[in-house]
Amino acid sequence: MVVAPYVTAWSAEQDLQCTLVERPDGSIGYAKELLSDRDSHGVLWRQTGLRHQVGRPEFARVHPLRQRRAMELSLCQVCGGPADINDDGVLWLLRDFRGDWPGWPEGMASTEPPVCLACVPVALRSCPALQRGAVTVRVRHCPIVGVRGVIYRRGTLTPTAVTADNFGYDDPLVGRVLASALVRELRGCRDAVLSGVPGIMRA
C-alpha cells in the first residue's frame, strides 16, 4: 500500500480552468470569481479539483487547499490529524539544511506543515528527500506571514506568469500572485528530543 501524505495531490486533482483577468486596482482575479477563491488577506488562490485519494498520488505536487488547511489549523502534513504540540512548541520535521546559515532554521519561511509524533517514522521511511538527512524541531512561534505562488505581469490579452516565489502579505506585489501554499515563519526553534525514532539527526 502506498503511503501518501495528506497534502499530496492525486492524479484526479488537476487545476481547474479559470481565466485570469486584470482588476481595476492593479491586482489579478478570475473572470468568474467566487468569495472562496481568495484567502482572508484577499490573495487569489490556484483552484484545483478536490478528489482526494482518487487515481495515484503525485508526490511532487502539493494540493493547495489541503496545504492551506493544514497550515491554518496546524494539522499534520502526513495524516491530516492535529500536529504534535507541547510546552516547547509545535513539531516540525525538516530537511537538514543546517549549513545554510548560523542558527538555521530560525527565521525560516516554511511551506511544509508540521507533523504529529506518530507520523515522524512514517515520513522518514517513505520520503527519499528526508532519508538524505532530517531534523526534528520544536517551534514556539510560527505565524502565517504570506504565500508561495506565481507572480503575473500584465500581458497583451491576459496576465502572464513570470516566476514562483514566496511573498509576504505586506508585499505590494502580492495582489498579482496566484497562491498555491501558505507560508509560516519558524521562530523560537529548538531541538525536538524524540526517543525511539531511528535515523533522525539532531538540530
Side-chain angles (χ1 to χ4, degrees):
M1 179 180 176
V2 177
V3 177
Y6 169 73
V7 297
T8 297
W10 288 66
S11 57
E13 297 181 309
Q14 298 303 312
D15 289 348
L16 304 180
Q17 295 298 314
C18 300
T19 302
L20 283 175
V21 297
E22 295 285 346
R23 303 209 316 172
D25 63 359
S27 65
I28 58 172
Y30 290 135
K32 296 179 180 179
E33 192 171 308
L34 304 175
L35 287 176
S36 57
D37 291 334
R38 294 182 181 272
D39 63 22
S40 60
H41 292 265
V43 174
L44 191 68
W45 276 72
R46 195 175 81 215
Q47 296 304 302
T48 303
L50 279 170
R51 301 191 70 191
H52 192 208
Q53 298 182 331
V54 178
R56 65 185 184 282
E58 298 186 345
F59 295 100
R61 291 198 305 128
V62 171
H63 194 280
L65 182 60
R66 288 198 293 278
Q67 188 275 353
R68 180 175 158 189
R69 182 173 183 270
M71 285 297 235
E72 287 177 336
L73 302 178
S74 293
L75 302 180
C76 174
Q77 63 170 294
V78 180
C79 69
D84 189 74
I85 184 169
N86 63 20
D87 290 344
D88 289 330
V90 183
L91 182 64
W92 250 266
L93 178 64
L94 304 171
R95 287 276 309 277
D96 186 359
F97 290 120
R98 285 175 288 179
D100 280 12
W101 69 81
W104 178 95
E106 185 70 31
M108 186 180 90
S110 178
T111 58
E112 297 177 2
V115 294
C116 69
L117 281 171
C119 286
V120 170
V122 175
L124 288 171
R125 285 195 306 268
S126 60
C127 179
L130 292 176
Q131 291 168 8
R132 294 194 291 269
V135 292
T136 46
V137 179
R138 291 283 181 183
V139 182
R140 285 187 177 275
H141 305 289
C142 44
I144 294 173
V145 294
V147 296
R148 180 166 185 81
V150 175
I151 189 165
Y152 282 73
R153 61 174 171 79
R154 289 183 178 273
T156 305
L157 297 176
T158 60
T160 303
V162 179
T163 187
D165 206 341
N166 294 341
F167 298 87
Y169 278 125
D170 58 353
D171 190 323
L173 295 176
V174 76
R176 299 199 61 83
V177 172
L178 184 61
S180 57
L182 275 182
V183 175
R184 282 188 181 268
E185 184 177 336
L186 308 186
R187 302 175 184 168
C189 300
R190 60 178 61 193
D191 181 28
V193 180
L194 301 182
S195 62
V197 181
I200 202 105
M201 298 176 64
R202 301 298 180 210

